[in-house]
Coordinates of all heavy atoms in Angstrom, one line a residue:
I170 N 12.2 -11.8 -15.4 CA 11.3 -12.9 -15.2 C 10.4 -12.5 -14.1 O 10.8 -12.2 -13.0 CB 12.0 -14.2 -14.9 CG1 12.9 -14.5 -16.1 CG2 11.0 -15.3 -14.7 CD1 13.8 -15.7 -15.9
Y171 N 9.1 -12.6 -14.3 CA 8.1 -12.3 -13.3 C 7.6 -13.6 -12.6 O 7.4 -14.6 -13.3 CB 6.9 -11.6 -13.9 CG 7.1 -10.2 -14.4 CD1 7.2 -9.9 -15.7 CD2 7.3 -9.2 -13.4 CE1 7.4 -8.6 -16.1 CE2 7.5 -7.9 -13.8 CZ 7.6 -7.6 -15.2 OH 7.8 -6.3 -15.6
N172 N 7.5 -13.5 -11.4 CA 6.9 -14.6 -10.7 C 5.4 -14.3 -10.6 O 4.9 -13.3 -11.0 CB 7.5 -14.9 -9.4 CG 7.4 -13.8 -8.4 OD1 6.6 -12.9 -8.5 ND2 8.2 -13.8 -7.3
Y173 N 4.6 -15.3 -10.1 CA 3.2 -15.2 -10.1 C 2.7 -14.1 -9.2 O 1.8 -13.4 -9.6 CB 2.6 -16.6 -9.6 CG 1.1 -16.7 -9.7 CD1 0.5 -16.7 -10.9 CD2 0.4 -16.7 -8.5 CE1 -0.9 -16.8 -10.9 CE2 -1.0 -16.8 -8.5 CZ -1.6 -16.8 -9.8 OH -3.0 -16.9 -9.8
A174 N 3.4 -13.9 -8.1 CA 2.9 -12.8 -7.1 C 3.1 -11.4 -7.8 O 2.2 -10.6 -7.6 CB 3.7 -12.9 -5.8
N175 N 4.2 -11.2 -8.5 CA 4.4 -9.9 -9.1 C 3.4 -9.7 -10.2 O 2.9 -8.5 -10.4 CB 5.8 -9.8 -9.7 CG 6.9 -9.6 -8.7 OD1 6.6 -9.2 -7.6 ND2 8.1 -9.9 -9.1
L176 N 3.0 -10.7 -10.9 CA 2.0 -10.6 -12.0 C 0.7 -10.2 -11.4 O 0.0 -9.3 -11.9 CB 1.9 -11.9 -12.8 CG 1.0 -11.8 -14.0 CD1 1.5 -10.8 -15.0 CD2 0.9 -13.2 -14.6
I177 N 0.3 -10.8 -10.3 CA -1.0 -10.5 -9.6 C -0.9 -9.1 -9.1 O -1.9 -8.3 -9.2 CB -1.2 -11.5 -8.5 CG1 -1.6 -12.9 -9.1 CG2 -2.4 -11.0 -7.6 CD1 -1.8 -14.0 -8.1
N178 N 0.2 -8.7 -8.5 CA 0.3 -7.3 -7.9 C 0.2 -6.3 -9.0 O -0.5 -5.2 -8.8 CB 1.7 -7.1 -7.2 CG 1.7 -7.8 -5.9 OD1 0.7 -8.1 -5.3 ND2 2.9 -8.1 -5.4
E179 N 0.8 -6.5 -10.2 CA 0.6 -5.6 -11.3 C -0.8 -5.5 -11.8 O -1.3 -4.4 -12.1 CB 1.5 -6.0 -12.5 CG 3.0 -5.7 -12.2 CD 3.8 -6.1 -13.4 OE1 3.3 -6.3 -14.5 OE2 5.1 -6.2 -13.2
F180 N -1.5 -6.6 -11.8 CA -2.9 -6.7 -12.2 C -3.8 -5.9 -11.2 O -4.6 -5.1 -11.6 CB -3.4 -8.1 -12.3 CG -4.9 -8.2 -12.5 CD1 -5.4 -7.9 -13.8 CD2 -5.8 -8.5 -11.5 CE1 -6.8 -7.9 -14.0 CE2 -7.1 -8.5 -11.7 CZ -7.6 -8.3 -13.0
V181 N -3.5 -6.1 -9.9 CA -4.3 -5.4 -8.9 C -4.0 -3.9 -9.0 O -4.9 -3.1 -8.9 CB -3.9 -5.9 -7.5 CG1 -4.4 -5.0 -6.4 CG2 -4.4 -7.3 -7.3
I182 N -2.8 -3.5 -9.2 CA -2.5 -2.0 -9.4 C -3.2 -1.4 -10.5 O -3.8 -0.4 -10.4 CB -1.0 -1.8 -9.5 CG1 -0.3 -2.1 -8.2 CG2 -0.7 -0.4 -10.0 CD1 1.2 -2.1 -8.2
I183 N -3.2 -2.1 -11.7 CA -3.9 -1.6 -12.9 C -5.4 -1.6 -12.6 O -6.1 -0.6 -12.9 CB -3.6 -2.5 -14.1 CG1 -2.2 -2.3 -14.5 CG2 -4.6 -2.2 -15.2 CD1 -1.7 -3.3 -15.5
Y184 N -5.9 -2.6 -11.9 CA -7.4 -2.6 -11.6 C -7.7 -1.5 -10.6 O -8.7 -0.8 -10.8 CB -7.7 -4.0 -10.9 CG -9.1 -4.1 -10.5 CD1 -10.1 -4.3 -11.4 CD2 -9.4 -4.1 -9.2 CE1 -11.4 -4.4 -11.0 CE2 -10.8 -4.2 -8.8 CZ -11.7 -4.4 -9.7 OH -13.0 -4.5 -9.3
L185 N -6.9 -1.3 -9.6 CA -7.2 -0.2 -8.7 C -7.1 1.2 -9.3 O -7.8 2.1 -8.8 CB -6.2 -0.3 -7.5 CG -6.4 -1.5 -6.6 CD1 -5.4 -1.6 -5.5 CD2 -7.8 -1.5 -6.0
Q186 N -6.3 1.3 -10.3 CA -6.2 2.6 -10.9 C -7.5 3.0 -11.6 O -7.8 4.2 -11.8 CB -5.0 2.7 -11.9 CG -3.7 2.7 -11.2 CD -2.5 2.6 -12.2 OE1 -2.7 2.2 -13.4 NE2 -1.3 2.8 -11.7
N187 N -8.2 2.0 -12.0 CA -9.5 2.2 -12.8 C -10.7 2.3 -11.8 O -11.7 2.6 -12.3 CB -9.7 1.1 -13.7 CG -8.7 1.0 -14.8 OD1 -8.2 2.1 -15.2 ND2 -8.3 -0.1 -15.3
M188 N -10.5 2.1 -10.5 CA -11.6 2.2 -9.6 C -11.7 3.6 -9.1 O -10.8 4.4 -9.2 CB -11.3 1.3 -8.4 CG -11.2 -0.2 -8.7 SD -10.7 -1.1 -7.2 CE -12.2 -1.1 -6.2
T189 N -12.9 3.9 -8.6 CA -13.1 5.2 -8.1 C -12.4 5.3 -6.7 O -12.1 4.2 -6.1 CB -14.6 5.5 -7.9 OG1 -15.2 4.6 -7.0 CG2 -15.3 5.5 -9.3
K190 N -12.3 6.5 -6.2 CA -11.6 6.6 -4.9 C -12.4 5.9 -3.8 O -11.8 5.3 -2.9 CB -11.5 8.1 -4.6 CG -10.7 8.5 -3.4 CD -10.6 9.9 -3.2 CE -9.9 10.3 -1.9 NZ -9.7 11.7 -1.6
K191 N -13.7 6.0 -3.8 CA -14.5 5.4 -2.8 C -14.2 3.9 -2.7 O -14.0 3.4 -1.6 CB -16.0 5.7 -3.1 CG -16.9 5.0 -2.2 CD -18.3 5.3 -2.6 CE -19.4 4.4 -1.9 NZ -20.7 4.6 -2.4
Y192 N -14.3 3.2 -3.8 CA -14.1 1.8 -3.8 C -12.6 1.4 -3.5 O -12.4 0.4 -2.9 CB -14.5 1.2 -5.1 CG -16.0 1.3 -5.4 CD1 -16.5 2.1 -6.3 CD2 -16.9 0.6 -4.6 CE1 -17.9 2.2 -6.5 CE2 -18.2 0.7 -4.7 CZ -18.7 1.5 -5.7 OH -20.1 1.7 -5.9
Y193 N -11.7 2.2 -3.9 CA -10.3 2.0 -3.6 C -10.0 2.0 -2.1 O -9.4 1.1 -1.6 CB -9.4 3.0 -4.3 CG -7.9 2.9 -4.0 CD1 -7.2 1.9 -4.5 CD2 -7.4 3.8 -3.1 CE1 -5.8 1.7 -4.2 CE2 -6.0 3.6 -2.7 CZ -5.3 2.6 -3.3 OH -4.0 2.5 -2.9
N194 N -10.6 3.0 -1.4 CA -10.4 3.2 0.0 C -11.0 2.0 0.7 O -10.5 1.4 1.7 CB -11.0 4.5 0.5 CG -10.2 5.7 0.1 OD1 -9.0 5.5 -0.2 ND2 -10.8 6.8 0.1
R195 N -12.2 1.6 0.3 CA -12.9 0.4 0.9 C -12.0 -0.9 0.7 O -11.8 -1.7 1.6 CB -14.2 0.2 0.3 CG -15.0 -0.9 1.0 CD -16.4 -1.1 0.4 NE -17.1 0.2 0.3 CZ -18.2 0.4 -0.6 NH1 -18.5 -0.6 -1.4 NH2 -18.8 1.5 -0.6
Y196 N -11.5 -1.0 -0.5 CA -10.6 -2.2 -0.8 C -9.4 -2.2 0.1 O -9.0 -3.2 0.6 CB -10.2 -2.2 -2.3 CG -9.2 -3.3 -2.6 CD1 -9.6 -4.6 -2.8 CD2 -7.9 -2.9 -2.7 CE1 -8.7 -5.6 -3.1 CE2 -7.0 -3.9 -3.0 CZ -7.4 -5.2 -3.2 OH -6.4 -6.2 -3.5
M197 N -8.7 -1.1 0.2 CA -7.5 -1.0 1.0 C -7.7 -1.2 2.4 O -7.0 -1.9 3.1 CB -6.8 0.3 0.8 CG -6.2 0.5 -0.6 SD -5.2 -0.9 -1.2 CE -3.9 -0.9 -0.1
K198 N -8.8 -0.7 3.0 CA -9.1 -0.9 4.4 C -9.4 -2.3 4.7 O -9.0 -2.9 5.7 CB -10.3 0.0 4.8 CG -9.9 1.5 5.0 CD -11.0 2.3 5.5 CE -10.5 3.8 5.6 NZ -11.6 4.6 6.1
T199 N -10.2 -3.0 3.8 CA -10.4 -4.4 4.1 C -9.2 -5.3 3.9 O -9.0 -6.2 4.6 CB -11.5 -5.0 3.2 OG1 -11.2 -4.7 1.8 CG2 -12.9 -4.3 3.5
K200 N -8.3 -4.9 3.0 CA -7.1 -5.6 2.8 C -6.2 -5.5 4.0 O -5.6 -6.5 4.5 CB -6.3 -5.1 1.6 CG -5.1 -5.8 1.3 CD -4.4 -5.2 0.0 CE -3.0 -5.8 -0.1 NZ -2.3 -5.2 -1.2
I201 N -6.1 -4.3 4.6 CA -5.3 -4.0 5.8 C -5.9 -4.8 7.0 O -5.2 -5.4 7.8 CB -5.2 -2.5 6.1 CG1 -4.3 -1.9 5.0 CG2 -4.7 -2.3 7.4 CD1 -4.3 -0.4 5.0
Q202 N -7.2 -4.8 7.1 CA -7.9 -5.5 8.2 C -7.6 -7.0 8.2 O -7.6 -7.7 9.2 CB -9.4 -5.2 8.2 CG -9.7 -3.8 8.6 CD -11.1 -3.4 8.4 OE1 -11.9 -4.2 7.8 NE2 -11.5 -2.3 8.9
R203 N -7.4 -7.6 7.0 CA -7.2 -9.0 6.9 C -5.7 -9.4 7.1 O -5.4 -10.6 7.3 CB -7.6 -9.5 5.5 CG -9.1 -9.6 5.3 CD -9.4 -10.1 3.9 NE -9.0 -9.0 3.0 CZ -9.2 -9.1 1.7 NH1 -9.7 -10.2 1.1 NH2 -8.8 -8.1 0.9
M204 N -4.8 -8.4 7.2 CA -3.4 -8.7 7.4 C -3.2 -9.2 8.8 O -3.8 -8.7 9.8 CB -2.6 -7.5 7.1 CG -2.4 -7.1 5.7 SD -1.4 -5.7 5.6 CE -1.3 -5.4 3.8
T205 N -2.1 -10.0 9.0 CA -1.7 -10.4 10.3 C -0.8 -9.3 10.9 O -0.4 -8.4 10.1 CB -0.9 -11.7 10.3 OG1 0.2 -11.5 9.5 CG2 -1.8 -12.8 9.7
K206 N -0.4 -9.4 12.2 CA 0.5 -8.4 12.7 C 1.8 -8.4 12.1 O 2.4 -7.3 11.8 CB 0.6 -8.6 14.2 CG -0.6 -8.2 15.1 CD -0.3 -8.3 16.5 CE -1.4 -7.9 17.4 NZ -1.2 -8.0 18.8
S207 N 2.3 -9.5 11.8 CA 3.7 -9.6 11.1 C 3.6 -9.0 9.7 O 4.6 -8.3 9.3 CB 4.2 -11.0 11.1 OG 3.3 -11.8 10.3
Q208 N 2.5 -9.2 9.0 CA 2.4 -8.6 7.7 C 2.3 -7.1 7.8 O 2.8 -6.4 7.0 CB 1.1 -9.2 7.0 CG 1.3 -10.6 6.5 CD 0.0 -11.1 6.0 OE1 -1.1 -10.7 6.4 NE2 0.1 -12.1 5.0
L209 N 1.5 -6.6 8.8 CA 1.4 -5.2 9.0 C 2.8 -4.6 9.3 O 3.2 -3.5 8.7 CB 0.5 -4.9 10.1 CG -1.0 -5.0 9.9 CD1 -1.8 -4.9 11.2 CD2 -1.5 -3.9 8.9
T210 N 3.5 -5.2 10.1 CA 4.9 -4.7 10.5 C 5.8 -4.7 9.3 O 6.5 -3.7 9.1 CB 5.5 -5.6 11.6 OG1 4.5 -5.9 12.5 CG2 6.6 -4.8 12.3
S211 N 5.8 -5.7 8.5 CA 6.6 -5.8 7.3 C 6.2 -4.7 6.3 O 7.1 -4.1 5.7 CB 6.6 -7.2 6.7 OG 5.4 -7.5 6.2
E212 N 4.9 -4.5 6.1 CA 4.5 -3.4 5.2 C 4.9 -2.1 5.7 O 5.3 -1.2 4.9 CB 3.0 -3.5 5.0 CG 2.5 -4.7 4.2 CD 2.8 -4.5 2.7 OE1 2.6 -3.4 2.1 OE2 3.3 -5.4 2.1
I213 N 4.8 -1.8 7.0 CA 5.2 -0.5 7.5 C 6.6 -0.3 7.3 O 7.1 0.8 6.9 CB 4.8 -0.5 9.0 CG1 3.3 -0.3 9.2 CG2 5.5 0.7 9.7 CD1 2.8 -0.5 10.6
L214 N 7.5 -1.3 7.6 CA 8.9 -1.2 7.4 C 9.2 -0.9 5.9 O 10.1 -0.1 5.6 CB 9.6 -2.4 7.8 CG 9.6 -2.6 9.4 CD1 10.3 -4.0 9.7 CD2 10.3 -1.5 10.1
K215 N 8.5 -1.6 5.0 CA 8.7 -1.4 3.6 C 8.4 0.1 3.2 O 9.2 0.7 2.5 CB 7.8 -2.3 2.8 CG 8.1 -2.3 1.3 CD 7.3 -3.3 0.5 CE 5.9 -3.0 0.5 NZ 5.1 -3.9 -0.4
F216 N 7.3 0.6 3.6 CA 6.9 2.0 3.3 C 7.9 3.0 3.9 O 8.2 4.0 3.4 CB 5.5 2.3 3.6 CG 4.5 1.8 2.6 CD1 3.7 0.7 2.9 CD2 4.3 2.4 1.4 CE1 2.8 0.2 2.0 CE2 3.4 1.9 0.5 CZ 2.7 0.8 0.7
E217 N 8.3 2.7 5.2 CA 9.2 3.6 5.9 C 10.5 3.7 5.2 O 11.1 4.7 5.0 CB 9.3 3.3 7.3 CG 8.1 3.6 8.2 CD 8.3 3.2 9.6 OE1 9.1 2.4 9.9 OE2 7.5 3.6 10.5
S218 N 11.0 2.5 4.8 CA 12.3 2.5 4.1 C 12.2 3.3 2.8 O 13.2 3.9 2.3 CB 12.8 1.1 3.9 OG 11.9 0.4 3.0
F219 N 11.1 3.2 2.1 CA 10.9 3.9 0.8 C 10.9 5.4 1.1 O 11.6 6.2 0.4 CB 9.6 3.5 0.2 CG 9.3 4.3 -1.1 CD1 9.9 3.9 -2.3 CD2 8.5 5.4 -1.1 CE1 9.6 4.6 -3.5 CE2 8.3 6.1 -2.2 CZ 8.9 5.7 -3.4
L220 N 10.2 5.8 2.1 CA 10.1 7.3 2.4 C 11.4 7.8 3.0 O 11.6 9.1 3.0 CB 8.9 7.5 3.4 CG 7.5 7.2 2.8 CD1 6.5 7.4 3.9 CD2 7.2 8.2 1.6
E221 N 12.2 7.0 3.6 CA 13.5 7.5 4.1 C 14.6 7.6 3.0 O 15.6 8.3 3.3 CB 14.0 6.5 5.2 CG 13.2 6.6 6.4 CD 13.6 5.5 7.4 OE1 14.5 4.7 7.1 OE2 13.0 5.5 8.5
N222 N 14.3 7.1 1.8 CA 15.3 7.2 0.7 C 15.0 8.5 -0.1 O 14.0 8.6 -0.8 CB 15.2 6.0 -0.2 CG 16.3 5.9 -1.2 OD1 16.9 6.9 -1.5 ND2 16.5 4.8 -1.8
P223 N 15.9 9.5 0.1 CA 15.6 10.8 -0.6 C 15.6 10.7 -2.1 O 14.8 11.4 -2.8 CB 16.7 11.7 -0.1 CG 17.7 10.9 0.5 CD 17.1 9.6 0.8
H224 N 16.4 9.8 -2.7 CA 16.4 9.7 -4.1 C 15.1 9.1 -4.7 O 14.6 9.6 -5.7 CB 17.6 8.7 -4.5 CG 17.7 8.6 -6.0 ND1 18.1 9.6 -6.8 CD2 17.4 7.5 -6.8 CE1 18.1 9.1 -8.1 NE2 17.7 7.9 -8.1
K225 N 14.5 8.1 -4.0 CA 13.2 7.6 -4.4 C 12.1 8.6 -4.2 O 11.2 8.7 -5.1 CB 12.9 6.3 -3.6 CG 13.8 5.1 -4.1 CD 13.3 3.9 -3.3 CE 14.1 2.7 -3.7 NZ 13.7 1.5 -3.0
V226 N 12.2 9.3 -3.1 CA 11.1 10.3 -2.9 C 11.1 11.4 -3.9 O 10.1 11.8 -4.4 CB 11.3 10.9 -1.4 CG1 10.3 12.1 -1.2 CG2 11.0 9.8 -0.4
K227 N 12.3 11.8 -4.3 CA 12.4 12.9 -5.3 C 11.9 12.5 -6.6 O 11.4 13.3 -7.4 CB 13.9 13.4 -5.4 CG 14.1 14.5 -6.3 CD 15.6 15.0 -6.3 CE 15.8 16.2 -7.2 NZ 17.2 16.6 -7.2
N228 N 12.1 11.2 -7.0 CA 11.8 10.8 -8.3 C 10.4 10.2 -8.4 O 10.0 9.6 -9.4 CB 12.8 9.7 -8.8 CG 14.1 10.3 -9.0 OD1 14.2 11.5 -9.5 ND2 15.2 9.6 -8.8
T229 N 9.6 10.3 -7.3 CA 8.2 9.7 -7.3 C 7.3 10.9 -7.5 O 7.5 12.0 -7.0 CB 8.0 9.0 -5.9 OG1 9.0 8.0 -5.7 CG2 6.6 8.4 -5.9
K230 N 6.2 10.6 -8.2 CA 5.2 11.6 -8.4 C 4.5 11.9 -7.1 O 4.4 11.1 -6.2 CB 4.1 11.1 -9.4 CG 4.7 10.9 -10.8 CD 3.6 10.5 -11.8 CE 4.2 10.3 -13.1 NZ 3.2 10.0 -14.1
K231 N 4.1 13.2 -7.0 CA 3.6 13.7 -5.7 C 2.3 13.0 -5.3 O 2.1 12.7 -4.1 CB 3.3 15.2 -5.8 CG 4.6 16.0 -5.8 CD 4.3 17.5 -5.8 CE 5.6 18.2 -5.9 NZ 5.4 19.7 -6.0
W232 N 1.4 12.7 -6.2 CA 0.2 12.0 -5.8 C 0.4 10.6 -5.4 O -0.2 10.1 -4.5 CB -0.8 12.0 -7.0 CG -0.4 11.2 -8.2 CD1 0.3 11.6 -9.3 CD2 -0.6 9.8 -8.4 NE1 0.5 10.6 -10.1 CE2 0.0 9.4 -9.6 CE3 -1.2 8.8 -7.7 CZ2 0.0 8.2 -10.2 CZ3 -1.2 7.5 -8.2 CH2 -0.7 7.2 -9.4
L233 N 1.4 9.9 -6.0 CA 1.8 8.6 -5.5 C 2.5 8.6 -4.2 O 2.2 7.8 -3.3 CB 2.7 7.9 -6.6 CG 3.1 6.4 -6.3 CD1 1.8 5.6 -6.3 CD2 4.0 6.0 -7.4
L234 N 3.3 9.6 -3.9 CA 3.9 9.8 -2.7 C 2.9 10.0 -1.6 O 3.0 9.5 -0.5 CB 4.9 10.9 -2.7 CG 5.9 11.1 -1.6 CD1 6.8 9.9 -1.4 CD2 6.7 12.3 -1.8
G235 N 1.9 10.8 -1.9 CA 0.8 11.1 -0.9 C 0.0 9.9 -0.6 O -0.4 9.6 0.5
S236 N -0.2 9.0 -1.6 CA -0.9 7.8 -1.4 C -0.1 6.8 -0.5 O -0.7 6.1 0.3 CB -1.4 7.1 -2.7 OG -0.2 6.6 -3.4
Y237 N 1.2 6.8 -0.7 CA 2.1 6.0 0.2 C 2.0 6.5 1.7 O 1.9 5.7 2.6 CB 3.5 6.1 -0.2 CG 3.9 5.3 -1.5 CD1 5.1 5.5 -2.1 CD2 3.0 4.4 -2.0 CE1 5.4 4.8 -3.2 CE2 3.3 3.7 -3.2 CZ 4.5 3.9 -3.8 OH 4.8 3.2 -4.9
V238 N 1.9 7.8 1.9 CA 1.9 8.4 3.2 C 0.5 8.0 3.9 O 0.5 7.6 5.0 CB 2.1 9.9 3.2 CG1 1.8 10.5 4.6 CG2 3.5 10.2 2.8
V239 N -0.5 8.1 3.1 CA -1.9 7.8 3.6 C -1.9 6.3 3.9 O -2.5 5.9 5.0 CB -3.0 8.2 2.6 CG1 -4.3 7.6 3.0 CG2 -3.1 9.7 2.5
H240 N -1.4 5.5 3.0 CA -1.4 4.0 3.3 C -0.6 3.7 4.5 O -1.0 2.8 5.3 CB -0.9 3.3 2.0 CG -1.1 1.8 2.1 ND1 -2.3 1.3 1.9 CD2 -0.2 0.8 2.2 CE1 -2.2 -0.1 2.0 NE2 -0.9 -0.4 2.2
L241 N 0.5 4.3 4.7 CA 1.4 4.1 5.9 C 0.6 4.5 7.1 O 0.6 3.8 8.1 CB 2.7 4.9 5.8 CG 3.6 4.8 6.9 CD1 4.1 3.3 7.1 CD2 4.8 5.7 6.7
G242 N -0.2 5.6 7.1 CA -1.0 6.0 8.2 C -2.1 4.9 8.5 O -2.3 4.6 9.7
L243 N -2.7 4.4 7.5 CA -3.7 3.4 7.7 C -3.1 2.1 8.3 O -3.7 1.5 9.2 CB -4.4 3.0 6.4 CG -5.3 4.1 5.8 CD1 -5.8 3.6 4.4 CD2 -6.5 4.4 6.7
L244 N -1.9 1.7 7.9 CA -1.2 0.6 8.4 C -0.9 0.8 9.9 O -1.1 -0.1 10.7 CB 0.0 0.3 7.6 CG -0.1 -0.3 6.2 CD1 1.2 -0.2 5.5 CD2 -0.7 -1.7 6.2
R245 N -0.4 1.9 10.2 CA 0.0 2.2 11.6 C -1.3 2.3 12.5 O -1.3 1.8 13.6 CB 0.7 3.6 11.7 CG 2.1 3.5 11.2 CD 2.8 4.8 11.3 NE 4.2 4.8 10.9 CZ 4.9 5.8 10.6 NH1 4.3 7.0 10.7 NH2 6.1 5.7 10.2
E246 N -2.3 2.8 12.0 CA -3.6 2.9 12.8 C -4.1 1.5 13.1 O -4.5 1.2 14.2 CB -4.6 3.7 11.9 CG -6.0 3.9 12.6 CD -7.0 4.6 11.7 OE1 -6.5 5.2 10.8 OE2 -8.1 4.5 12.0
E247 N -4.1 0.6 12.1 CA -4.6 -0.7 12.3 C -3.7 -1.5 13.3 O -4.2 -2.2 14.1 CB -4.6 -1.5 11.0 CG -5.2 -2.9 11.0 CD -6.6 -2.9 11.4 OE1 -7.4 -2.0 11.1 OE2 -7.0 -3.9 12.0
L248 N -2.4 -1.3 13.2 CA -1.5 -1.9 14.2 C -1.7 -1.4 15.6 O -1.7 -2.2 16.5 CB 0.0 -1.7 13.7 CG 1.0 -2.5 14.5 CD1 0.8 -4.0 14.3 CD2 2.4 -2.1 14.1
N249 N -2.0 -0.1 15.7 CA -2.3 0.5 17.1 C -3.6 -0.1 17.6 O -3.8 -0.2 18.8 CB -2.3 2.0 17.0 CG -0.9 2.5 16.9 OD1 0.1 1.9 17.3 ND2 -0.8 3.8 16.4
K250 N -4.6 -0.3 16.7 CA -5.9 -0.9 17.2 C -5.7 -2.3 17.8 O -6.4 -2.6 18.7 CB -6.8 -1.0 16.0 CG -7.5 0.3 15.6 CD -8.5 0.1 14.5 CE -9.1 1.3 13.9 NZ -9.9 1.1 12.8
R251 N -4.7 -3.0 17.2 CA -4.5 -4.3 17.7 C -3.6 -4.4 18.9 O -3.3 -5.5 19.4 CB -3.9 -5.2 16.5 CG -4.8 -5.3 15.4 CD -4.3 -6.2 14.3 NE -5.1 -6.2 13.1 CZ -4.8 -6.9 12.1 NH1 -3.9 -7.8 12.1 NH2 -5.6 -6.8 11.0
G252 N -3.1 -3.3 19.3 CA -2.3 -3.2 20.5 C -0.8 -3.6 20.3 O -0.2 -4.1 21.2
K253 N -0.3 -3.4 19.1 CA 1.1 -3.7 18.8 C 1.4 -5.1 19.3 O 2.3 -5.7 19.3 CB 2.1 -2.7 19.3 CG 1.9 -1.3 18.6 CD 3.0 -0.4 19.1 CE 2.9 0.9 18.3 NZ 3.9 1.9 18.7

């Protein structure tokens, strides 16, 4: 059973897959800039826990894993700009 948030997230993922790289990067940066500090911290923890799990990393496609690493870097950079 999907809740409303999961349905929206799936739609956004499908929509972003159809966007060009330029527009995707612009969308992600503005999304990150609108996040609060607590949201940034929770997202960072989510991505770090994913990357620390060797089973998940092994079974993930390399391009998706690379996008996770880049996204994690953007999240950390924004958190550092705000002064933790």
Side-chain angles (χ1 to χ4, degrees):
I170 300 174
Y171 288 107
N172 61 18
Y173 186 67
N175 286 342
L176 187 62
I177 290 176
N178 286 338
E179 288 181 14
F180 174 75
V181 169
I182 289 170
I183 292 169
Y184 177 73
L185 291 176
Q186 287 174 349
N187 295 328
M188 295 175 74
T189 61
K190 184 178 178 181
K191 174 183 170 185
Y192 293 113
Y193 175 77
N194 287 338
R195 187 182 306 159
Y196 171 79
M197 291 310 297
K198 286 183 180 181
T199 55
K200 181 180 175 185
I201 290 171
Q202 289 170 352
R203 286 182 289 181
M204 289 182 178
T205 63
K206 285 186 181 182
S207 61
Q208 288 174 329
L209 284 171
T210 321
S211 65
E212 286 289 313
I213 288 171
L214 291 175
K215 184 173 76 171
F216 279 106
E217 285 177 346
S218 66
F219 178 84
L220 293 173
E221 289 172 358
N222 188 341
H224 181 70
K225 287 184 179 179
V226 170
K227 185 177 180 182
N228 292 327
T229 305
K230 294 183 180 184
K231 290 182 181 180
W232 65 269
L233 186 58
L234 190 62
S236 67
Y237 286 170
V238 171
V239 169
H240 191 69
L241 180 61
L243 291 173
L244 290 168
R245 285 180 179 163
E246 180 183 344
E247 184 65 28
L248 189 61
N249 286 335
K250 280 182 187 176
R251 297 183 189 187
K253 292 187 179 183

